Amino acid sequence: MVGMFDLTGKIALVTGGGSGLGLAMAKGLAAHGAHVVLVGRNLPRLDAAATSIKDAGGSAEPVVCDLLDVDSPTAMVRDLEERHGRIDILLNNAGIQHRAPFVAFEDADWYRVLDTNLTAPFRMARAVAPAMIARGSGKIINTLSVLSSLGRASVIPYGAAKGGLKTLTRGLAVELGAANVQVNGIAPGYILTEMNTALAANPEFDGWLRARTPAGRWGRPEELAGAAVFLASAGSDFVTGHVLTVDGGLTASV
């Protein structure tokens, strides 16, 4: 763990860290020396996730927080900074999906998708940024999607939220660059997670995806860990406003 990818002593806050992509990336950060704070709403799930990291020799703790509450993210960040001294890395990963035809999409579902996938990352970044600016260092990583740039029927609000998060990522990179705070995004393709269970079980979609993706398969959550480690480490100190796509070549092909 020596070198530019060494995260020893770093404090990494990972939202949605109890399962799926968040846990996979948190495991990668922990394996490179970071203490990971796993944030979510399901304490038993967070406890199990933290235990799995510690059993592998890493350092982790669970923290329950409702990211949709206006004041909770700021209070959580303040508490973590008091206990740990700082937050070096913020990985905004928590997200939800809701599939429905656009003409039948209810306002409540629209706002729930946008609040979770776009507003919550904005609030988290706003909460950690002041201390990062004062310290003159920090890493903010946002989990985007290939749908940040591509359109697909039945998930239009999700794409709109992730597209907004892509623009937020670049705007923050510009505003925080002079303070030596790097802000980047990871755009996964189709990964085998709980969110995509129904799609993976659909033979028509599964066949389409395998044919459409040059790698010929679904991605695995752990395959995002390397991207997260790179963007969290000194190896990316001159990389900001960038979107690192991890999609098996899907967006490179026609």
Side-chain angles (χ1 to χ4, degrees):
M1 296 192 295
V2 177
M4 66 178 64
F5 303 118
D6 183 16
L7 299 176
T8 300
K10 301 293 186 180
I11 308 298
L13 192 164
V14 182
T15 69
S19 63
L21 301 184
L23 177 55
M25 291 188 285
K27 287 180 175 179
L29 299 178
H32 283 74
H35 173 75
V36 293
V37 180
L38 306 176
V39 177
R41 291 185 293 183
N42 186 321
L43 182 56
R45 176 178 287 185
L46 293 170
D47 278 335
T51 297
S52 70
I53 290 173
K54 288 184 280 189
D55 285 348
S59 177
E61 68 177 284
V63 172
V64 174
C65 180
D66 182 0
L67 298 178
L68 300 187
D69 180 76
V70 174
D71 299 319
S72 293
T74 300
M76 173 185 63
V77 167
R78 186 183 302 116
D79 176 68
L80 289 170
E81 288 174 340
E82 289 176 355
R83 290 196 289 113
H84 294 291
R86 69 198 184 283
I87 294 172
D88 300 291
I89 302 154
L90 167 63
L91 175 48
N92 274 318
N93 172 77
I96 61 169
Q97 178 64 281
H98 184 91
R99 297 182 177 90
F102 172 67
V103 295
F105 223 95
E106 299 287 344
D107 280 6
D109 294 322
W110 164 267
Y111 286 118
R112 186 169 58 91
V113 170
L114 260 67
D115 285 347
T116 304
N117 294 305
L118 179 57
T119 305
F122 162 76
R123 288 179 179 145
M124 287 299 306
R126 185 178 61 185
V128 302
M132 288 183 173
I133 293 170
R135 193 169 61 248
S137 67
K139 303 281 188 177
I140 299 175
I141 307 166
N142 295 321
T143 300
L144 310 178
S145 166
V146 293
L147 295 178
S148 299
S149 303
L150 304 176
R152 183 169 177 82
S154 80
V155 291
I156 290 174
Y158 179 83
K162 291 297 188 178
L165 187 55
K166 178 180 179 179
T167 304
L168 176 66
T169 298
R170 288 177 168 163
L172 289 174
V174 172
E175 185 157 337
L176 302 180
N180 192 36
V181 177
Q182 291 82 50
V183 187
N184 294 287
I186 299 174
Y190 285 90
I191 312 294
L192 284 173
T193 62
E194 185 177 341
M195 184 182 291
N196 289 323
T197 299
L199 294 180
N202 183 318
E204 182 179 358
F205 185 89
D206 179 68
W208 170 83
L209 178 66
R210 293 176 185 275
R212 177 70 176 78
T213 304
R217 62 175 176 84
W218 289 77
R220 298 183 293 272
E222 59 269 23
E223 292 179 307
L224 270 73
V229 169
F230 168 62
L231 294 177
S233 73
S236 63
D237 280 354
F238 201 55
V239 178
T240 196
H242 179 69
V243 177
L244 203 169
T245 303
V246 185
D247 68 350
L250 187 148
T251 54
S253 67
V254 295

